Amino acid sequence: MHKIENMVVFGGTHGNEMTGVEVLKLLEKRNYFGKNLNLYAHFANRKAYELGKRFVDKDLNRSFTKDVLEKGGYLHEERIAKEIYDKFSGDNNLIIDLHTSTANMGKSIVLTKLNNFNLKLISFLQNLHDDLNVFYWEENEELAFLNTISPFGFAIEMGPVANNVLDCKIIEDTLVLVEDILDFAEKYNKNMLPNLKEEILLFEGKEYLYYPMDENGERFGYIHDEFQGKDFMPLCKGDRIFKTQIDTNIEYKGDEGYCALFINEAAYYSKNIACCLAKKINVKIK
Ligand SMILES: [Zn+2]
């Protein structure tokens, strides 16, 4: 029978997201003595955290590419990615990577691998937290997330909270989720999982929506106040999504059936991304 030997919780993967680092400190203070698995709390990018920046040379959470993991690299985050991979990759490890968003993401999971373990874990968590949403974006070489070093696990994304700011409620909610995941892993190892709902709802990421750009390639609009904070809500033709100047609105003209996520995420500005567009899908657990 497959067992989880190690649960590894990462914080500070993005140096300007302080919540994860606080949660690591709280976990260390709890002196967890697992009966049937080891718990590790790993500070992923201390140097970026000390600088208060998302990263030093490049985004660590896009650095777990085949090339970097096989050959290593010269950039700060490439070196860390290789170290993390060498130390923590493997099928017996459960990887939980803690993040925050400036968007109104609430309590959410960012999932890249659809397998029964992950789906059962999500079903277990949603049974305890009915406000927990799941954003699924199929793994690909471009994403190269930290959590992809194991088939098991995902990122937790909490918001809204500004970068380099702590929010007590968000810290506590994150810690509770981590503790519930630990509880799941122990029960999984003992083959003592409760009956779970066999179908779960995911928001599957399909594409990005970009800010309006002028002829010089410069952004000239911002998220409309009517659109701000409307993450996970259905997007309809005619919804006002951008303002260019006061009283100048730009409406949504795309297809129906999408929900917007990560609306006004600070980390997306450098790529001119206004939000992600996702479709609701139901997935059965086998
Ligand atoms: Zn992050």
Side-chain angles (χ1 to χ4, degrees), residues 10 13-14 54 59-66 69 81 84-85 95 97 99 109-113 135-151 153-157 208 262 268 271 276:
F10 291 88
T13 301
H14 289 140
R54 185 173 171 89
D59 192 331
L60 177 59
N61 208 30
R62 303 290 183 278
S63 294
F64 290 77
T65 58
K66 234 183 185 166
L69 302 183
I84 288 173
Y85 178 76
I95 306 295
D97 188 20
H99 290 260
I109 282 169
V110 178
L111 180 71
T112 54
K113 288 188 198 213
F135 178 44
Y136 167 62
W137 200 300
E138 194 180 1
E139 188 175 318
N140 63 56
E141 181 66 11
E142 208 184 306
L143 286 180
F145 286 166
L146 186 155
N147 67 270
T148 60
I149 62 172
S150 162
F154 40 69
I156 290 178
E157 194 75 60
Y208 295 112
F262 286 103
Y268 285 172
K271 298 170 200 154
C276 293

Side-chain angles (χ1 to χ4, degrees), residues 45-276:
N45 198 346
R46 198 179 288 271
K47 196 170 163 188
Y49 176 82
E50 281 163 5
L51 295 168
K53 289 168 70 175
R54 185 173 171 89
F55 54 81
V56 179
D57 292 327
K58 68 181 275 200
D59 192 331
L60 177 59
N61 208 30
R62 303 290 183 278
S63 294
F64 290 77
T65 58
K66 234 183 185 166
D67 213 38
V68 166
L69 302 183
E70 277 168 13
K71 297 179 214 145
Y74 295 103
L75 301 177
H76 174 67
E77 278 78 10
E78 289 176 346
R79 278 187 277 118
I80 299 181
K82 175 90 171 101
E83 278 169 25
I84 288 173
Y85 178 76
D86 290 345
K87 203 167 170 190
F88 296 114
S89 66
D91 289 0
N92 298 322
N93 294 342
L94 168 58
I95 306 295
I96 302 298
D97 188 20
L98 304 179
H99 290 260
T100 54
S101 173
T102 59
N104 187 25
M105 291 295 284
K107 272 186 209 173
S108 52
I109 282 169
V110 178
L111 180 71
T112 54
K113 288 188 198 213
L114 281 187
N115 56 51
N116 260 351
F117 178 91
N118 287 342
L119 294 175
K120 278 183 186 170
L121 170 52
I122 288 166
S123 184
F124 180 86
L125 293 174
Q126 284 188 330
N127 193 32
L128 302 168
H129 307 269
D130 55 10
D131 53 349
L132 179 70
N133 283 313
V134 183
F135 178 44
Y136 167 62
W137 200 300
E138 194 180 1
E139 188 175 318
N140 63 56
E141 181 66 11
E142 208 184 306
L143 286 180
F145 286 166
L146 186 155
N147 67 270
T148 60
I149 62 172
S150 162
F152 309 122
F154 40 69
I156 290 178
E157 194 75 60
M158 309 287 283
V161 61
N163 290 327
N164 294 311
V165 168
L166 289 173
D167 179 308
C168 183
K169 179 84 169 69
I170 285 185
I171 295 167
E172 286 171 2
D173 285 350
T174 308
L175 182 65
V176 169
L177 277 177
V178 170
E179 288 177 335
D180 289 339
I181 293 168
L182 185 58
D183 186 34
F184 173 89
E186 290 206 316
K187 290 190 163 89
Y188 173 85
N189 280 354
K190 291 183 201 156
N191 210 7
M192 283 173 60
L193 288 179
N195 286 332
L196 300 167
K197 237 171 92 184
E198 285 165 9
E199 196 172 73
I200 57 173
L201 171 77
L202 306 178
F203 290 81
E204 185 178 15
K206 293 289 185 186
E207 55 187 291
Y208 295 112
L209 190 69
Y210 293 87
Y211 285 104
M213 311 280 276
D214 66 15
E215 57 279 8
N216 302 316
E218 295 209 5
R219 174 174 43 80
F220 71 93
Y222 30 85
I223 300 291
H224 200 287
D225 52 311
E226 289 177 13
F227 189 43
Q228 178 69 40
K230 298 281 164 62
D231 302 71
F232 298 101
M233 309 267 265
L235 196 50
C236 301
K237 270 189 212 303
D239 283 354
R240 288 187 279 257
I241 52 174
F242 299 115
K243 252 182 201 178
T244 55
Q245 299 157 7
I246 291 172
D247 294 332
T248 307
N249 302 314
I250 295 181
E251 295 176 354
Y252 179 68
K253 294 185 187 73
D255 294 336
E256 303 249 332
Y258 286 105
C259 297
L261 277 74
F262 286 103
I263 301 166
N264 213 351
E265 163 55 46
Y268 285 172
Y269 274 83
S270 59
K271 298 170 200 154
N272 275 312
I273 295 170
C275 64
C276 293

